[in-house]
Amino acid sequence: MTFKSDYSYVNGLKMYYEINGEGKPLVLIHGGGSTIQTTFGRIIPLLAQYRKLIAVELQAH
């Protein structure tokens, strides 16, 4: 399983993201007041076996 994390500048904001797995992409966006890990931490390893997960950390979370 592949894993990458980095920051990307979007409209002047420094946004954190993670990419896990390989295959057809699936974008994960967490809910308000949450994070990638609190929302998807338990299912990322399972989903990454079948899909390329792109998880975006929303601003101020």
Side-chain angles (χ1 to χ4, degrees), residues 20-42:
N20 291 274
E22 297 177 9
K24 188 174 180 180
L26 176 64
V27 177
L28 304 176
I29 301 174
H30 64 77
S34 193
T35 66
I36 294 169
Q37 284 303 310
T38 59
T39 302
F40 304 111
R42 290 182 173 173

Side-chain angles (χ1 to χ4, degrees), residues 8-15 59:
S8 182
Y9 285 93
V10 180
N11 295 326
L13 300 174
K14 188 177 179 181
M15 304 290 290
Q59 181 185 12

